[in-house]
Amino acid sequence: MEHLTVNKSICLIHRCNHPSFSTPCQINFEENSIIFLKKVTSAPSTGPVLAPYMPDNFCTIKPLSSADAKEERLLLDSIAWPETPPLPAPFSLNQTSNAAHSTFTILPRRGGGDWHVGDQLEVIIQMYNFQGNPKKSGGDAIVARVHNRALEAGVAGRVVDHLNGSYSAVFSLLWEGSVTLVHSSEAVTVLRRLNRDHPDRVRFQSVFCSGSISESTICNVCLRQTSQPQCNYTDLHTGDPWFCYKPKNLSCDARFNHMTTGYNNVLKTGELKLFQSKSKGIYISLKHKYGVNQDSGKSGLSGYYYQGVWRSLSGFNVHQFNNDSAISQCLKGKVVHMYGDSTIRQFPKPAGPYMMWENANKIMVTYRIHGLPLRISIIPTSKECYVSKELDTLVGGTNTVVVLGIWAHFSTFPIELYIRRLQSIRRAVVRLLNRAPGTLVVIRTGTLQAMHVGNVISNGDWFSFQVDKVPRAMFNGLNVQLVDAWDMVLAHHLPHNIHPKRPIIKNMVDVLLSYICPQKKR
């Protein structure tokens, strides 16, 4: 038996003993993984083909139809970020936004008189630079919340950019407030440049293997033009693009895995300083009395925390599922399909593909990671799947629940790629709801993450600001529900994290289960 070690994968070539494999096949071994079998065959007529050279603007994601193009334009207009200033040359932090020098003013209560619980409190923030001079343009990425640790209470605020260096933060509860500068407008300039000029800064590769020959090549949504031919793995069902440089000695159909091998540092000299500044917070002390908000929902917020528990403002009661018995009783007779990235995997935990069957209560829970692009150490091609294709295989019905969480792996690409992926998934959701109207579809939104330099290249929060808006607009009007991870992370006292800590996840699961097993408000 011959063997060849390539990039942590072992390709063993032999004649398999399994009766369905009468021809030579490949066995892919992964660290701490099961064995996957894959026939070695010639490329089918619908399989990967050589792709033509990409144009100079090598990462232009084109919509599949005129209707998609029109919707894309409307979405892009709705999430358009204000123009941000170019970086000073030579580079210096002195002219960039600095929260420590910035100021706030609490506006008088509209209508005058005393403050009452549930009032909309508006704060005007004036952003200053490190030299203490007021900024004259907008574009800073800012978040706001009010909170009270003693009551384990908190709610997200809403921030409005006035495009002149000032911002309004609107709060719904009269607890202590804070405004956090996530990215300065100058940092947004850098993040914009990275996504425009370096969407390939995450290094993806695939190993190709046939017989005793194996090669690895670079892969991505978009590949730069070279003399090397490209293999086109664009999915014929969904239109989702993926390309690899063709190996010199193997055909395109010899690809058998996908992996992420690292990141290219594409920050220019001095740009790193924009993300190392520790001056992030503006803390607003509110001296008024506080209490539980009785917001009628007019604020546009999805909910708030009180005594550590998420309370919805969306018209339904969030019930607490505090033990296995309560969860099992809710899921009795249900089939729950989860699709997405690692943020949705926090609900079922195992990496997947994953299936759990609980015989006593006839509960099935499945999880599959979404299709490429994927920042994952290694995954065989047999595990790759696209969510819209998976949804088209579901029968659906009143006992079927579909949970979607798709966003984090798209942050290094033009936003058009994310829009196009969601358009494909939405079409599949519409088909599912048409054939099985009783199916419950729940979408988990994106969220903020820890602010440290390592996230700049892979997951800048500037992208998260935009992808938080896209699914809300994309699925508006459909019979789907939201787990508002954005507000649930922002409103909580725990630090921002792309994988929120257990208390937040517990509340997210309670919201999900409350959709599955709704209870009337008392």
Side-chain angles (χ1 to χ4, degrees):
M1 179 182 296
E2 297 180 84
H3 70 278
L4 180 65
T5 303
V6 181
N7 295 332
K8 300 183 180 179
S9 294
I10 302 175
C11 179
L12 300 180
I13 310 302
H14 71 129
R15 189 170 296 278
C16 298
N17 294 323
H18 194 281
S20 65
F21 286 82
S22 58
T23 58
C25 68
Q26 299 168 189
I27 302 181
N28 300 333
F29 288 82
E30 290 187 276
E31 294 177 341
N32 303 318
S33 182
I34 62 175
I35 296 175
F36 298 92
L37 303 179
K38 180 182 176 183
K39 289 185 179 180
V40 177
T41 62
S42 59
S45 59
T46 57
V49 297
L50 293 185
Y53 291 155
M54 301 294 288
D56 291 336
N57 187 3
F58 75 102
C59 207
T60 301
I61 310 298
K62 295 182 178 180
L64 295 177
S65 69
S66 58
D68 285 349
K70 181 178 180 180
E71 180 183 46
E72 178 185 278
R73 185 69 261 159
L74 292 173
L75 281 168
L76 292 174
D77 289 343
S78 70
I79 65 174
W81 201 267
E83 288 299 316
T84 52
L87 298 190
F91 178 80
S92 170
L93 283 176
N94 289 339
Q95 299 176 40
T96 66
S97 302
N98 177 22
H101 283 92
S102 300
T103 62
F104 69 88
T105 303
I106 300 175
L107 297 185
R109 182 178 181 271
R110 291 187 179 182
D114 296 330
W115 292 97
H116 299 286
V117 172
D119 282 345
Q120 295 290 294
L121 184 75
E122 185 173 358
V123 176
I124 296 295
I125 302 143
Q126 177 60 56
M127 195 64 61
Y128 284 75
N129 62 24
F130 279 78
Q131 293 177 319
N133 297 320
K135 295 290 293 292
K136 301 298 183 183
S137 59
D140 296 292
I142 296 174
V143 293
R145 66 168 180 166
V146 289
H147 53 90
N148 182 284
R149 290 295 301 274
L151 296 175
E152 294 187 74
V155 67
R158 294 290 183 257
V159 177
V160 177
D161 188 343
H162 298 298
L163 307 179
N164 59 4
S166 68
Y167 301 81
S168 293
V170 181
F171 302 106
S172 287
L173 296 182
L174 301 183
W175 297 315
E176 288 187 331
S178 64
V179 177
T180 301
L181 175 62
V182 178
H183 292 309
S184 67
S185 56
E186 291 79 12
V188 171
T189 298
V190 174
L191 294 172
R192 263 184 165 145
R193 180 184 67 81
L194 295 185
N195 273 27
R196 182 188 68 243
D197 298 344
H198 301 281
D200 54 349
R201 60 189 181 274
V202 180
R203 296 196 299 269
F204 299 112
Q205 287 186 348
S206 279
V207 173
F208 294 73
C209 185
S210 181
S212 60
I213 303 174
S214 66
E215 296 181 48
S216 63
T217 72
I218 295 172
C219 305
N220 214 308
V221 170
C222 308
L223 293 177
R224 295 180 185 270
Q225 180 175 328
T226 71
S227 60
Q228 188 174 357
Q230 297 176 14
C231 295
N232 185 350
Y233 297 100
T234 298
D235 189 270
L236 298 180
H237 180 86
T238 67
D240 294 307
W242 193 254
F243 302 89
C244 294
Y245 289 121
K246 183 185 180 300
K248 294 180 180 179
N249 300 304
L250 294 172
S251 64
C252 292
D253 66 318
R255 175 179 172 267
F256 74 89
N257 72 10
H258 165 83
M259 68 186 76
T260 305
T261 60
Y263 303 87
N264 297 318
N265 184 4
V266 291
L267 292 173
K268 296 179 180 178
T269 303
E271 290 180 344
L272 196 60
K273 294 179 182 178
L274 287 167
F275 305 96
Q276 292 174 322
S277 172
K278 303 301 182 183
S279 175
K280 298 291 185 182
I282 305 169
Y283 298 96
I284 301 168
S285 178
L286 307 176
K287 302 300 185 182
H288 313 285
K289 293 182 179 180
Y290 51 73
V292 181
N293 186 15
Q294 301 300 322
D295 190 315
S296 63
K298 295 180 180 179
S299 65
L301 298 168
S302 61
Y304 62 96
Y305 288 105
Y306 187 71
Q307 296 180 337
V309 173
W310 183 254
R311 303 190 177 193
S312 173
L313 292 170
S314 302
F316 84 107
N317 184 33
V318 180
H319 182 60
Q320 303 302 298
F321 297 81
N322 294 324
N323 53 58
D324 292 344
S325 175
I327 295 173
S328 295
Q329 188 61 35
C330 173
L331 295 179
K332 188 173 184 178
K334 302 290 185 183
V335 179
V336 182
H337 298 290
M338 298 186 178
Y339 305 98
D341 53 40
S342 58
T343 63
I344 205 71
R345 195 181 69 222
Q346 283 189 278
F347 295 172
K349 278 295 184 185
Y354 164 79
M355 183 181 75
M356 182 276 290
W357 169 255
E358 204 261 84
N359 191 57
N361 291 293
K362 302 296 187 287
I363 301 170
M364 177 184 287
V365 178
T366 72
Y367 166 77
R368 291 210 69 174
I369 198 166
H370 66 69
L372 305 175
L374 285 173
R375 277 177 248 154
I376 193 168
S377 58
I378 189 167
I379 183 174
T381 55
S382 59
K383 280 190 178 182
E384 295 174 2
C385 76
Y386 287 97
V387 174
S388 57
K389 290 174 69 174
E390 294 292 314
L391 294 179
D392 282 339
T393 68
L394 300 183
V395 175
T398 55
N399 289 324
T400 300
V401 181
V402 173
V403 187
L404 306 173
I406 301 150
W407 66 282
H409 293 249
F410 293 83
S411 63
T412 56
F413 299 100
I415 192 68
E416 289 86 348
L417 177 68
Y418 183 64
I419 291 173
R420 180 162 157 176
R421 180 64 56 90
L422 287 191
Q423 286 174 326
S424 172
I425 293 172
R426 184 188 57 191
R427 285 190 288 267
V429 167
V430 169
R431 290 191 292 267
L432 173 61
L433 294 177
N434 282 341
R435 66 178 178 270
T439 306
L440 173 63
V441 179
V442 182
I443 298 171
R444 180 204 187 277
T445 69
T447 187
L448 296 153
Q449 63 180 321
M451 292 188 294
H452 58 76
V453 175
N455 285 335
V456 174
I457 295 176
S458 60
N459 273 89
D461 271 335
W462 169 71
F463 183 86
S464 302
F465 274 85
Q466 298 170 85
V467 300
D468 177 60
K469 299 176 182 178
V470 172
R472 298 174 192 271
M474 185 77 70
F475 290 91
N476 184 40
L478 292 183
N479 187 22
V480 302
Q481 306 295 335
L482 287 182
V483 174
D484 198 334
W486 183 273
D487 276 5
M488 295 182 78
V489 168
L490 178 55
H492 205 277
H493 66 81
L494 286 171
H496 299 163
N497 196 314
I498 195 170
H499 300 117
K501 299 301 181 183
R502 182 177 177 82
I504 301 176
I505 292 297
K506 165 64 168 63
N507 277 286
M508 288 183 185
V509 171
D510 284 340
V511 172
L512 172 61
L513 293 174
S514 297
Y515 285 132
I516 298 173
C517 304
Q519 296 186 1
K520 293 182 179 180
K521 281 192 174 182
R522 294 183 179 89

